[in-house]
Amino acid sequence: MKILVTGAAGFIGAALAQALLQQGHEVVGLDCINSYYDTRLKYARLDRAGIRQEDIRENRLVQSTLFPSYRFVKMDLTDRVGMQLLFAGEQPEAVVNLAAQAGVRYSLENPYAYVDSNVVGFLNVLECCRHHSCVRHLVFASSSSVYGLDEHVPYRETDMTDTPISLYAATKKSNELMAHAYSKLFSIPATGVRFFTVYGPWGRPDMAPFLFMRSILEGKPIRVFNHGQLSRDFTYIDDIVEGVTRILTQAPEGEVPFRVYNIGHSAPVPLMDFIGVIERVAGRKAVMQMEEMQPGDVYCTYADVSRLQRDFGYCPSVGIDEGIERFYRWFRDFYGYE
């Protein structure tokens, strides 16, 4: 199958592209490679798949030196003409939209970036799927943040999601609503995936696992919000990729071919326990700076994955101890820590 993966230089996108290539699919990767975080990490992820930084040019497909079935294009989702030309030329059979402006706290500082990328950009994806009947399945990234003020855990896909507490969450909820409308109006099979706190090797530098690991290794203070009284459903990257690849195999059907799935580990970890695992793995104690709750944060995330288990046999396999051990080994080697 020929699959377009947007956000292919990102954490999840790069890992998914690798998995799809190893399964024998043809992949076209797309990413604008913005500077929200260090682009050297993004280029390093691409390099693992044979996409060399020196070959990358705006709006031009680059052939992988490692995978004959992988090509990459640097392009922004908001480039309406470029996106239409890409779909017309490549005729993807499936699209996995992972490109987005990420980060809850950053949405308080730069809200326009979220609307441009997550709303306008996603509209362009939907329009391309609408006008190119080659696309048999659109899978798109949503987020656990859509559950907002819902205090009932574990979160189920049937729960109400109309109380977002960050602009990031609101844009992700809007993606679900937009995709549902296009599924109804134009019979586009679409599946939204609500990710829960993804971590692991090649992870995002703005997320807690990365920030905590670096600060602990360097003996610097870590910011512990709500005085550590938080829990997160930390989900290892391999389990996320496993869930998405399974979902890709079967497009929804019916009058409105649309569905939503949680992808999480379904085992929330108290923040202080999480810090303790990093301390043990790194062999160093954390210097903790206790702070109040941050705007846009929630107290607990907890995925009910029974729908994904029922439909696709999904079963997360990497626990927090093993996952942090793997992350630590990568982090130490990639950044040269002793």
Side-chain angles (χ1 to χ4, degrees):
M1 183 162 56
K2 189 173 189 178
I3 305 167
L4 172 65
V5 177
T6 74
F11 177 26
I12 301 174
L16 177 65
Q18 287 269 358
L20 293 173
L21 289 165
Q22 290 165 1
Q23 291 174 7
H25 296 287
E26 181 179 357
V27 176
V28 177
L30 177 152
D31 203 293
C32 70
I33 317 181
N34 69 22
S35 57
Y36 169 62
Y37 61 78
D38 190 351
T39 58
R40 290 174 295 182
L41 180 57
K42 298 181 180 183
Y43 283 117
R45 293 181 186 131
L46 290 171
D47 188 69
R48 291 181 68 224
I51 303 297
R52 300 182 302 181
Q53 181 176 350
E54 58 267 28
D55 294 336
I56 296 173
R57 301 289 185 275
E58 201 83 28
N59 294 357
R60 184 172 71 83
L61 283 163
V62 176
Q63 175 64 51
S64 166
T65 60
L66 297 177
F67 295 97
S69 56
Y70 186 38
R71 288 173 299 145
F72 172 83
V73 60
K74 183 181 179 183
M75 183 180 291
D76 197 305
L77 288 189
T78 59
D79 182 349
R80 190 185 307 178
V81 174
M83 290 286 289
Q84 289 288 351
L85 290 173
L86 180 68
F87 272 71
E90 295 303 316
Q91 297 286 303
E93 298 166 81
V95 177
V96 184
N97 184 61
L98 301 174
Q101 177 57 62
V104 170
R105 295 187 186 106
Y106 185 61
S107 67
L108 304 175
E109 303 171 21
N110 191 1
Y112 290 101
Y114 288 78
V115 174
D116 290 342
S117 179
N118 302 5
V119 179
V120 177
F122 188 59
L123 176 61
N124 285 341
V125 172
L126 290 170
E127 278 290 290
C128 287
C129 292
R130 170 189 177 186
H131 293 292
H132 296 88
S133 58
C134 55
V135 179
R136 302 199 300 263
H137 193 187
L138 167 64
V139 177
F140 65 95
S142 185
S143 167
S144 62
S145 66
V146 300
Y147 291 104
L149 293 174
D150 184 6
E151 295 181 358
H152 174 269
V153 291
Y155 296 148
R156 296 179 174 86
E157 294 90 345
T158 53
D159 290 347
M160 294 293 290
T161 54
D162 56 0
T163 56
I165 57 173
S166 71
L167 181 63
Y168 171 72
T171 63
K172 286 300 184 179
K173 177 60 180 178
S174 75
N175 286 173
E176 295 183 7
L177 296 173
M178 293 161 69
H180 186 278
Y182 269 67
S183 290
K184 170 63 176 175
L185 292 170
F186 309 113
S187 299
I188 298 171
T191 303
V193 284
R194 295 171 178 169
F195 296 133
F196 281 71
T197 317
V198 191
Y199 75 101
W202 303 94
R204 276 175 33 204
D206 62 319
M207 294 188 68
F210 200 109
L211 293 169
F212 288 178
M213 184 68 74
R214 169 165 282 171
S215 293
I216 289 171
L217 287 173
E218 295 178 356
K220 296 179 180 178
I222 61 173
R223 302 175 70 189
V224 181
F225 294 109
N226 200 42
H227 301 273
Q229 301 303 304
L230 301 171
S231 295
R232 292 290 180 266
D233 197 346
F234 291 102
T235 311
Y236 192 70
I237 181 62
D238 290 5
D239 288 329
I240 291 287
V241 169
E242 175 71 15
V244 174
T245 55
R246 287 175 183 246
I247 287 168
L248 259 176
T249 63
Q250 184 178 331
E253 299 175 345
E255 182 181 353
V256 184
F258 175 87
R259 62 190 175 196
V260 172
Y261 290 99
N262 291 332
I263 304 185
H265 191 69
S266 199
V269 178
L271 185 58
M272 297 305 293
D273 291 353
F274 178 72
I275 294 170
V277 174
I278 298 179
E279 289 178 322
R280 179 182 57 76
V281 168
R284 306 187 188 187
K285 296 295 291 182
V287 180
M288 288 180 269
Q289 180 177 309
M290 298 297 181
E291 299 192 13
E292 299 299 321
M293 191 74 164
Q294 285 287 288
D297 272 356
V298 296
Y299 294 99
C300 177
T301 62
Y302 183 179
D304 181 327
V305 296
S306 57
R307 177 183 289 187
L308 193 57
Q309 290 173 332
R310 180 196 68 214
D311 292 353
F312 294 98
Y314 170 80
C315 184
S317 61
V318 182
I320 195 70
D321 293 285
E322 181 183 356
I324 289 298
E325 177 67 42
R326 294 183 189 179
F327 175 55
Y328 167 70
R329 290 198 300 266
W330 169 81
F331 193 96
R332 180 194 59 200
D333 295 342
F334 186 76
Y335 288 102
Y337 286 91
E338 295 296 334

